[in-house]
Amino acid sequence: MAVLAVLCAGGCGRSHTLEAGFWFEPVTFQSKVIDGAVTAADLATIEAVARAELTQAFRGLPIVISTRRDATFRVRVVQEVRDRRMRGNWGVAGESFSMPGLGGNSAVSFLFLASGAIGYAPAGASRREIIEAIGRGIGRTAAHELAHLLLPQAPIHDSKDIRSYEFDSAARREHYYGEMHWALARPWLEERLRR
Ligand SMILES: [Zn+2]
């Protein structure tokens, strides 16, 4: 017993909780709908809302959402993500590359999600509501991409629930406005993370 206690003092607790680092690279965006450019204050709001959304999505699961750029799983928000698999090379909401057993990297497109929050804004939405919707869209795409990193083989896009994180498109109003939940992937995440 004493030997076990000594061995564990080195950090047994740490090794059992996975960590996902989530952070923003420098980004810019402007639109007439929000009276010009996103400000530093807007970006602070967007990041806070996005982080809260991502944290909420994984609440109750043994994974910590941090800002660490050397975490096992890394999700970064960048200016733009282009689908290199397609000849058209068009913009997408996010992409993920996982290295089984080692972790993985995701990128989330600020441009795609800011444009989406504006495009799907209900009539009469305030500037503040749109800024918060940008953060929600980013956080929800981050949750979707992190699910891909954790479950690289799982067919999460099979979810047809338009209010689910797994749904295969951020080009829908529900990705930015109203509540969102897990559908089929939640038990898979439970199993993966408690392994
Ligand atoms: Zn996906």
Side-chain angles (χ1 to χ4, degrees):
M1 288 296 275
V3 173
L4 261 180
V6 169
L7 288 173
C8 279
C12 290
R14 268 181 49 177
S15 63
H16 292 292
T17 301
L18 288 173
E19 183 172 359
F22 175 63
W23 72 92
F24 280 57
E25 301 286 354
V27 292
T28 60
F29 181 80
Q30 52 187 322
S31 166
K32 276 188 289 190
V33 178
I34 54 167
D35 308 320
V38 292
T39 64
D42 293 333
L43 281 172
T45 300
I46 289 166
E47 178 162 358
V49 171
R51 187 171 297 283
E53 183 76 30
L54 176 59
T55 301
Q56 167 62 29
F58 285 86
R59 182 154 294 149
L61 293 165
I63 185 166
V64 172
I65 309 297
S66 73
T67 57
R68 272 185 48 192
R69 299 181 182 208
D70 61 348
T72 308
F73 300 94
R74 295 169 295 274
V75 182
R76 64 197 177 101
V77 180
V78 298
Q79 183 65 32
E80 191 173 7
V81 180
R82 293 196 156 266
D83 191 340
R84 285 164 283 181
R85 296 168 308 173
M86 305 282 184
R87 272 190 32 198
N89 193 34
W90 52 63
V92 293
E95 67 178 3
S96 291
F97 298 97
S98 63
M99 298 162 280
L102 294 173
N105 293 304
S106 298
V108 172
S109 169
F110 194 93
L111 176 64
F112 190 104
L113 296 154
S115 303
I118 285 173
Y120 292 105
S126 69
R127 187 179 187 283
R128 174 80 190 187
E129 286 168 334
I130 293 173
I131 291 294
E132 289 177 354
I134 295 172
R136 271 197 304 280
I138 288 172
R140 290 170 177 184
T141 294
H144 179 101
E145 297 303 328
L146 181 54
H148 277 310
L149 293 185
L150 293 166
L151 305 165
Q153 312 287 343
I156 70 168
H157 295 162
D158 284 357
S159 171
K160 300 297 173 236
D161 180 342
I162 201 163
R163 287 217 169 271
S164 71
Y165 292 108
E166 297 95 321
F167 195 83
D168 184 24
S169 172
R172 68 194 199 281
R173 179 176 50 82
E174 292 81 359
H175 195 69
Y176 308 89
Y177 298 93
E179 65 85 36
M180 185 151 284
H181 48 249
W182 290 109
L184 45 78
R186 177 76 191 199
W188 300 342
L189 289 167
E190 292 270 357
E191 195 205 337
R192 162 70 181 87
L193 290 168
R194 298 195 190 284
R195 204 150 63 199

